[in-house]
Amino acid sequence: MIDLHMHTWRCRHAEGTPGEYVRAAAARGVRTIAFTEHLPLAPSLAARVPGAERYAMPAEELPSYVTDVREASRLGEELGVEVLLGIEIDAVPDALDHARAVLKTLPVDIVLGSIHFVDDWAFDDPARTDRYAEWDIAELWERYFADVAAAAASGVADVVAHADLVKKFCFRPAGPVGSLYRETARSLASCGVAVEVNTAGLRKPCQELYPAQELLDELFAAGVPVTVGSDAHRPSEVGAGWDEARAALMAAGYRSVLVFRQRVPEEVPLDGL
């Protein structure tokens, strides 16, 4: 198994230390993991988003985060777990320059790009679901997937994380979304970015993988490569949902996934995981 998306206590909305995650991975037979802590928010974004301090680690903790992961890597060598250093960026348009600047200072293996905000709204925060009432849901989905495509086109991230996160609380358009999925898949294919099969959706109100099978099918048809992450926010979630992710990938037609080292992708057969 691989698991290229996990968070520790440093993001302020998760728990556990890197060492605890490494031990959990070893116990569950996960061979390769990546810590992908939330990059400190761009100051312009943090200034306008209520509760921003709960969404990412403070900027002054970045060096300590790197040290934590390096120490966890040494533990991983003892326990047979490869430990990679990653980061998850909030890839909304006005945060991309901030991400580019900070990434120049970090020796990361993998960069996840995510859309967690629409303007000043953290739409995936369970404390902010009242604001869905302000939107026509079909328009919200159009806006969200346009932002995902723009994030991918920026070239800042290696992987689009939880690509259909907008469905988290089951606010879905009344009509079919196949054409939106197809357009998104083609856009991502043209950017050369990978997409993560994220198992956290199985643990959320939507109760399905990110991305949905229909979107995953479109991604395969468009030739978009994939990787896998649990988006663990506690050690007990490391490797969670692997069987469901593998089944969905196989059903879509995938036979391999990517692992990133020093931001270089390597294809790994699913049969070997």
Side-chain angles (χ1 to χ4, degrees):
M1 285 188 282
I2 65 170
D3 187 342
L4 303 190
H5 190 161
M6 55 187 63
H7 300 277
T8 71
W9 68 272
R10 286 195 183 276
C11 74
R12 303 310 196 263
H13 59 273
E15 60 188 55
T17 66
E20 290 170 330
Y21 281 80
V22 171
R23 290 185 177 90
R28 296 181 181 97
V30 183
R31 299 180 185 177
T32 300
I33 64 173
F35 290 99
T36 52
E37 205 54 89
H38 291 281
L39 189 76
L41 295 182
S44 60
L45 184 61
R48 70 172 191 267
V49 172
E53 69 278 359
R54 302 193 310 273
Y55 299 139
M57 71 177 141
E60 62 269 19
E61 290 186 12
L62 264 173
S64 296
Y65 167 60
V66 174
T67 299
D68 287 350
V69 176
R70 293 298 184 227
E71 291 176 353
S73 180
R74 289 190 283 273
L75 175 62
E77 290 176 3
E78 297 175 12
L79 299 179
V81 178
E82 179 184 21
V83 177
L84 304 175
L85 173 64
I87 205 81
E88 181 177 4
I89 68 168
D90 286 289
V92 294
D94 67 346
L96 291 172
D97 286 344
H98 167 76
R100 288 188 184 97
V102 178
L103 285 172
K104 289 178 181 178
T105 71
L106 293 176
V108 293
D109 292 297
I110 181 172
V111 177
L112 305 182
S114 302
I115 301 296
H116 295 102
F117 303 98
V118 172
D119 300 325
D120 65 346
W121 175 36
F123 65 85
D124 71 323
D125 186 340
R128 311 284 182 199
T129 56
D130 58 312
R131 293 193 60 182
Y132 281 92
E134 300 173 11
W135 283 85
D136 174 281
I137 298 302
E139 292 179 2
L140 174 62
W141 277 50
E142 291 280 354
R143 163 66 185 277
Y144 170 81
F145 281 105
D147 284 354
V148 167
S154 74
V156 178
D158 306 309
V159 179
V160 173
H162 38 62
D164 55 353
L165 182 63
V166 69
K167 73 184 180 189
K168 178 176 178 178
F169 298 110
C170 303
F171 293 94
R172 302 173 185 265
V177 292
S179 61
L180 180 60
Y181 286 164
R182 192 168 305 113
E183 178 183 351
T184 299
R186 290 172 179 170
S187 294
L188 300 187
S190 70
C191 300
V193 71
V195 168
E196 164 199 69
V197 175
N198 181 308
T199 66
L202 297 170
R203 309 188 297 272
K204 305 302 180 183
C206 60
Q207 295 187 329
E208 67 177 20
L209 296 166
Y210 307 119
Q213 188 69 52
E214 184 179 3
L215 176 52
L216 188 60
D217 292 346
E218 292 291 351
L219 292 167
F220 177 77
V224 178
V226 292
T227 189
V228 180
S230 67
D231 205 347
H233 279 61
R234 52 186 57 83
S236 62
E237 294 172 348
V238 174
W242 171 263
D243 290 340
E244 292 89 339
R246 189 178 190 282
L249 286 164
M250 296 292 286
Y254 287 99
R255 296 297 179 265
S256 64
V257 294
L258 298 182
V259 174
F260 289 79
R261 300 178 182 89
Q262 298 180 358
R263 303 197 68 181
V264 176
E266 178 184 343
E267 195 170 0
V268 179
L270 275 170
D271 284 346
L273 296 173

